[in-house]
Amino acid sequence: MWKKWSMIWWAGFCVVLWHALAAEAVATPPLPVLPIPSSRQVTWQAAERALFFHFGMNTFTDSEWGTGKADPSLFYPQALDAHQWVSTAKEAGFSRIILTAKHHDGFCLWPSSFTNYSVALSPWRAGAGDLVAELSSAAHQAGLSFGLYLSPWDRHESCYGDTLQYNEFYLALLWELLTRYGPIAEVWLDGAKGKDAPEMVYLFDSWFSMIRQLQPNAIIFSDAGPDARWVGNEYGESGSTAWAMVNRSSITIGGDNDAIYSQEGDLNGVDWVPAECDVSIRPGWFWHSDEQPKSVNSLLELFYESVGRNCVLLLNVPPNTTGLISEEDAEALISFNEALHSIFSVNLAANATVTADSTRGVGYEATEILNDDLSTYWAPESGKRTGYLEIDLGSSLNFNVLRIQEAVSMGQRVISYHVVYLKDGEWIAMSQGTTIGYKKLDLIETVEAQILRLYIDEARTEPLIASFGIHLDSITVPQPRMKTQSSHVSRRQYWMRLPSQIWPVDHQRDFSSVL
């Protein structure tokens, strides 16, 4: 009898234990919604911002688009120090730099074996210099990733206009750059050319294939990707709606594309190609003695309008004729980084209590939004495309920045959202928007609140919110900014700089819409 009851007891205990374990089992993750980013795209976007170095013959001829006829002897940066460029970038919080290895004038900043127009014919380093080697070495030593811009348009080479000969020439240059200088993090190219340029067919697929073969981890940037796309302007601003997806077949590299499509992306796009926002810290892309860098306030606005809209900020800082980053530019960069740290280093919601109207189960609780790990996230119950998260800060706090991030490795999902806060028993609207993606930053009027809610109003499928933060920005004062025409038009125009012209600081010149 005792044995019988003992067996019954153990059987019951096992059933209870099984149910307890089953109740605590981690729920299976939701299916990703396609397309999703590659590993290299995830790494690239997590860096958030990069520095562009426009430097070359144009620096010494005081121009933006060179003719390809300037004497190589003009290139003589007597104090050039690649380590100064890199240390400035690192101190300013940038982890990736990109160099214009060859601009439209065709002058190569490395001693290429395939052209007679390079640093090898200049007096710099007595003709033995190699800027690509010096900068890539300095970057890698400092732990920064290194990328290259190689202009397809070439105003020097006589074979430009011959499809076969020029594409062979371009691939030869590309091969040198991809095999001599260690890991290349990004290859940046475009279809820019002036009205006076001969007709030319670029064999982009061949170029991309060589890059994939020789540098498989490199991000390839162009108007249409394949890894990162141009945002459609050169004032550093994405659309308030910003999908990482597009249909690459709808964009022609160097063509008269729809600038709004490039900015906003495509809800129904089949290709994951997030946007990179390129803009110069000065009115021009190359250094000119009569120009000054943007203010910290302007740089912060650029950050909100690029990184804060699901894009990457590519900020150009042109070294001067001595071969150094100018002191005023370096100070602006470092102050910009300090301002970002001041605003975003503290998440005022870090110790909040968070609840949700539903959860998928264990492992997908609302509290997952309080860490910065984008691989963990809140998910509503299966099949639910709307929902809300309630954040109780514990006490009333002042803030004016909302930060929302999706688990983009599972696809971009949110179509629209809004945020409210509780005041005197009523829910008051503070922000609303469309897409979120990797990161959405809403700079709002300062509010004082303890309890707020993030509502997901519409999504492609179950929304996955990976991180949420509130911050206080006491620095940025939004200002109206003059913007140039779409670069999809102006990239096809040629602008020569007139040294006598005077241009206001913090505004783009007409010609600055071209590289």
Side-chain angles (χ1 to χ4, degrees):
M1 187 71 175
W2 178 86
K3 184 177 181 180
K4 178 180 178 180
W5 281 109
S6 177
M7 292 176 65
I8 293 173
W9 184 88
W10 273 107
F13 174 79
C14 289
V15 169
V16 171
L17 180 62
W18 183 85
H19 280 290
L21 292 173
E24 293 299 319
V26 175
T28 56
L31 289 173
V33 56
L34 301 179
I36 60 174
S38 66
S39 176
R40 61 178 171 268
Q41 288 173 315
V42 171
T43 300
W44 171 83
Q45 187 150 22
E48 299 191 346
R49 50 198 173 104
L51 277 189
F52 215 165
F53 293 130
H54 273 64
F55 186 72
M57 189 62 72
N58 293 345
T59 308
F60 299 88
T61 58
D62 202 29
S63 60
E64 288 290 305
W65 280 11
T67 64
K69 299 176 182 178
D71 192 317
S73 65
L74 295 174
F75 184 85
Y76 193 29
Q78 298 185 53
L80 193 149
D81 183 358
H83 291 281
Q84 188 254 2
W85 300 15
V86 168
S87 62
T88 300
K90 190 168 185 175
E91 187 176 357
F94 291 84
S95 60
R96 182 173 68 255
I97 60 174
I98 299 175
L99 173 68
T100 55
K102 176 178 80 75
H103 205 253
H104 310 325
D105 61 349
F107 188 76
C108 295
L109 298 182
W110 78 101
S112 173
S113 301
F114 300 100
T115 182
N116 62 357
Y117 201 50
S118 77
V119 290
L121 282 81
S122 77
W124 177 63
R125 306 277 195 262
D130 185 337
L131 180 52
V132 179
E134 291 187 21
L135 189 58
S136 62
S137 175
H140 294 143
Q141 288 177 31
L144 274 60
S145 58
F146 178 68
L148 293 164
Y149 170 71
L150 185 66
S151 171
W153 185 27
D154 194 310
R155 306 193 76 200
H156 175 79
E157 292 302 319
S158 60
C159 66
Y160 187 88
D162 184 310
T163 295
L164 176 60
Q165 288 189 37
Y166 184 74
N167 277 278
E168 289 178 343
F169 169 75
Y170 188 92
L171 283 170
L173 298 185
L174 194 59
W175 178 83
E176 287 182 325
L177 292 172
L178 299 180
T179 58
R180 291 182 179 179
Y181 302 106
I184 303 298
E186 184 168 351
V187 178
W188 213 94
L189 52 89
D190 57 18
K193 59 183 178 182
K195 287 184 177 181
D196 63 337
E199 288 298 316
M200 182 70 220
V201 177
Y202 301 135
L203 303 182
F204 288 112
D205 288 343
S206 295
W207 301 1
F208 297 162
S209 295
M210 175 177 280
I211 296 167
R212 283 282 184 264
Q213 181 186 77
L214 299 177
Q215 294 283 347
N217 294 320
I219 287 288
I220 303 174
F221 170 97
S222 78
D223 291 352
D227 294 314
R229 74 178 190 268
W230 185 46
V231 76
N233 63 71
E234 289 178 339
Y235 42 81
E237 178 182 337
S238 173
S240 56
T241 295
W243 293 102
M245 303 90 73
V246 293
N247 289 315
R248 292 188 60 216
S249 59
S250 298
I251 305 174
T252 300
I253 302 175
D256 292 324
N257 299 300
D258 182 349
I260 300 301
Y261 188 80
S262 296
Q263 277 193 318
E264 297 188 352
D266 191 338
L267 166 64
N268 300 308
V270 298
D271 302 302
W272 186 277
V273 191
E276 187 165 50
C277 302
D278 57 321
V279 64
S280 185
I281 198 170
R282 288 168 172 253
W285 288 90
F286 286 87
W287 184 85
H288 306 291
S289 61
D290 63 346
E291 296 179 353
Q292 293 297 316
K294 287 177 167 57
S295 65
V296 171
N297 190 84
S298 293
L299 295 174
L300 287 171
E301 287 187 277
L302 289 173
F303 185 83
Y304 281 108
E305 294 168 353
S306 56
V307 176
R309 293 179 179 175
N310 191 37
C311 300
V312 167
L313 173 62
L314 179 57
L315 180 62
N316 178 63
V317 179
N320 60 32
T321 52
T322 69
L324 299 172
I325 295 176
S326 297
E327 184 177 348
E328 60 270 27
D329 292 15
E331 289 176 353
L333 287 174
I334 293 167
S335 296
F336 173 42
N337 189 56
E338 290 172 346
L340 289 174
H341 182 78
S342 172
I343 297 165
F344 295 106
S345 62
V346 176
N347 180 5
L348 299 175
N351 298 315
T353 300
V354 187
T355 56
D357 63 335
S358 73
T359 62
R360 185 177 181 86
V362 175
Y364 304 95
E365 295 87 355
T367 52
E368 295 295 341
I369 70 170
L370 296 181
N371 63 59
D372 295 326
D373 183 355
L374 300 189
S375 67
T376 64
Y377 46 85
W378 164 73
E381 61 188 39
S382 181
K384 199 169 186 294
R385 298 189 180 195
T386 61
Y388 71 82
L389 291 155
E390 183 170 299
I391 300 96
D392 186 341
L393 303 175
S395 61
S396 290
L397 298 174
N398 291 318
F399 57 90
N400 62 352
V401 179
L402 303 172
R403 175 179 54 80
I404 315 169
Q405 297 185 256
E406 289 187 72
V408 290
S409 62
M410 300 290 283
Q412 190 175 349
R413 299 165 179 247
V414 175
I415 297 173
S416 64
Y417 69 93
H418 72 278
V419 184
V420 297
Y421 69 100
L422 190 63
K423 181 179 181 181
D424 300 328
E426 294 186 9
W427 290 103
I428 309 297
M430 70 170 78
S431 178
Q432 64 179 13
T434 53
T435 53
I436 295 174
Y438 165 77
K439 180 174 285 188
K440 182 64 187 298
L441 297 174
D442 288 341
L443 180 61
I444 61 175
E445 293 291 333
T446 300
V447 299
E448 181 181 354
Q450 176 179 336
I451 300 174
L452 53 156
R453 283 182 178 178
L454 165 63
Y455 282 91
I456 305 301
D457 300 315
E458 187 179 3
R460 298 167 67 205
T461 183
E462 299 102 320
L464 308 179
I465 304 302
S467 186
F468 180 86
I470 62 173
H471 308 273
L472 183 61
D473 180 351
S474 59
I475 304 171
T476 308
V477 179
Q479 301 288 334
R481 290 198 291 132
M482 184 176 73
K483 299 169 184 176
T484 59
Q485 61 186 321
S486 167
S487 293
H488 283 275
V489 176
S490 55
R491 275 176 180 258
R492 305 177 74 84
Q493 298 174 347
Y494 174 72
W495 298 90
M496 285 299 292
R497 180 175 187 274
L498 300 179
S500 61
Q501 290 177 301
I502 304 298
W503 303 87
V505 176
D506 276 341
H507 294 302
Q508 298 285 346
R509 306 178 184 179
D510 285 342
F511 71 77
S512 68
S513 292
V514 293
L515 283 173

